[in-house]
Amino acid sequence: MAGSSLLLLLDDIATTLDDVAVMAKVAAKKTTGVLGDDLALNAEQVAGVAAERELPVVWAVFKGSMINKLILVPLALAINYFAPPLVTFLLMLGGAYLCFEGVEKVLHPLLHKKEEQEQEQKIHAALIDPHGDLVALEKDKIKGAIRTDFILSAEIIVIALGVVQQSSFIKQFGVLSLIAIAMTVGVYGLVALIVKLDDIGLYMRKKPGALNHKVGGWLVAGAPKLMKLLGVVGTIAMFTVGGSILMHGIGPLHHWVEHILQPLGGGFFSGLLSMLCEIVVGVVAGLLVLGLVSVAQKLRPAKTA
């Protein structure tokens, strides 16, 4: 009898783990857009740091990101337990924020040209001045990266929670924990690799052999292009993911898009048109939020000295 009970328990555990793995896979697909942006933003955050300090900075941000997840996962589970309707609201809010950040990213050179120039000058001055405060610059970058990670991690956790919201608490905990750990290790492992690509290329160029020299040259030349490509892909993904969340959350809009796509069936063109609709919704939503934020900033009382 005891043996039979143990086998049933093991079977339940195996079934639960299998369900967690399947749901985690679905959740991972839904968070891919935020993941791409997370990867691009964190790789950009390390730019300007001395080469020998790149990996320590990535490690410091990784630890901060893990602390963010330790805060966010229990918080998300508590919200879902005590106030489930709030999850949908947070998901919609997160989708709107993603769209807003995507528009901000596209328009950043126009909206924040002065601040960007000042930041570049600050980094340049600190790097060329032997007495420059590189420690302070590094700490600022780490703090900024951890703040950015907190926002994007919250998006990832809420989107993943949306997938498992109706499941048992154990499965919710398992999926969110798995997503949190896998995403953090994956993102910062890739960030560490990306920021060292040029160093790897330089190392290979110093090694004997035409192949080493050629591959090293590709890595050195390709590292900056990869950073730009990640930024573009991340921005498109933000509009796609954010637009998709908003489109599915607004019933009439979702039904209207479904009505348009219905004659196309479920083929390639249907998927492409669906993605374009998500991007359009994302861009429009982002512009609306940007307009509201700009109005709020103008209406806010000026600080007195």
Side-chain angles (χ1 to χ4, degrees):
M1 191 74 176
S4 176
S5 298
L6 178 61
L7 288 174
L8 286 172
L9 176 62
L10 290 174
D11 184 60
D12 287 343
I13 292 172
T15 303
T16 299
L17 290 175
D18 185 56
D19 289 344
V20 166
V22 171
M23 287 186 288
K25 187 176 179 181
V26 175
K29 285 181 180 179
K30 286 184 174 291
T31 57
T32 301
V34 189
L35 180 66
D37 188 57
D38 198 2
L39 178 62
L41 285 175
N42 280 290
E44 287 172 6
Q45 288 282 3
V46 185
V49 176
E52 66 274 10
R53 294 296 303 161
E54 286 174 341
L55 291 183
V57 168
V58 173
W59 174 245
V61 180
F62 169 80
K63 289 188 290 184
S65 178
M66 288 303 294
I67 293 171
N68 286 342
K69 305 298 194 303
L70 285 172
I71 296 169
L72 288 166
V73 169
L75 183 61
L77 291 170
I79 290 172
N80 190 48
Y81 184 80
F82 292 106
L86 193 56
V87 174
T88 303
F89 171 75
L90 291 173
L91 196 59
M92 294 288 285
L93 192 64
Y97 178 81
L98 276 177
C99 299
F100 163 70
E101 192 165 308
V103 168
E104 263 263 323
K105 202 171 179 183
V106 172
L107 300 179
H108 188 84
L110 297 174
L111 298 174
H112 305 286
K113 189 175 182 180
K114 186 179 178 181
E115 293 91 329
E116 199 172 58
Q117 288 175 344
E118 288 175 354
Q119 181 64 15
E120 287 178 359
Q121 289 171 0
K122 184 180 177 181
I123 293 171
H124 182 68
L127 289 173
I128 64 173
D129 184 1
H131 303 293
D133 195 352
L134 288 173
V135 175
L137 176 65
E138 189 174 296
K139 285 183 178 177
D140 286 345
K141 279 189 166 289
I142 291 170
K143 286 179 182 177
I146 292 173
R147 278 196 304 269
T148 301
D149 176 271
F150 187 87
I151 296 167
L152 292 173
S153 293
E155 291 301 317
I156 289 171
I157 296 300
V158 171
I159 291 171
L161 182 59
V163 175
V164 296
Q165 190 177 6
Q166 304 303 322
S167 303
S168 67
F169 180 83
I170 293 295
K171 290 178 182 178
Q172 290 175 12
F173 176 77
V175 170
L176 294 191
S177 299
L178 187 59
I179 287 291
I181 294 170
M183 292 296 187
T184 307
V185 172
V187 165
Y188 289 99
L190 285 171
V191 168
L193 177 63
I194 289 167
V195 299
K196 300 307 290 182
L197 273 180
D198 50 352
D199 291 337
I200 295 170
L202 289 171
Y203 174 79
M204 291 186 69
R205 289 186 70 176
K206 292 176 183 177
K207 301 291 287 184
L211 182 61
N212 284 331
H213 189 80
K214 194 170 186 179
V215 173
W218 285 344
L219 291 176
V220 171
K225 294 176 182 177
L226 178 60
M227 288 286 289
K228 288 182 179 178
L229 178 62
L230 279 172
V232 172
V233 171
T235 303
I236 294 171
M238 288 169 82
F239 289 129
T240 306
V241 174
S244 175
I245 291 170
L246 294 174
M247 198 166 72
H248 284 81
I250 303 171
L253 179 61
H254 179 58
H255 295 315
W256 180 69
V257 172
E258 275 191 336
H259 178 70
I260 293 175
L261 298 177
Q262 194 173 9
L264 297 175
F268 171 78
F269 289 107
S270 176
L272 182 62
L273 185 57
S274 177
M275 188 177 74
L276 288 174
C277 289
E278 290 166 354
I279 291 172
V280 170
V281 170
V283 172
V284 172
L287 288 170
L288 288 173
V289 176
L290 178 62
L292 291 172
V293 170
S294 300
V295 171
Q297 287 175 341
K298 288 178 181 177
L299 294 175
R300 189 172 56 188
K303 291 182 179 179
T304 55

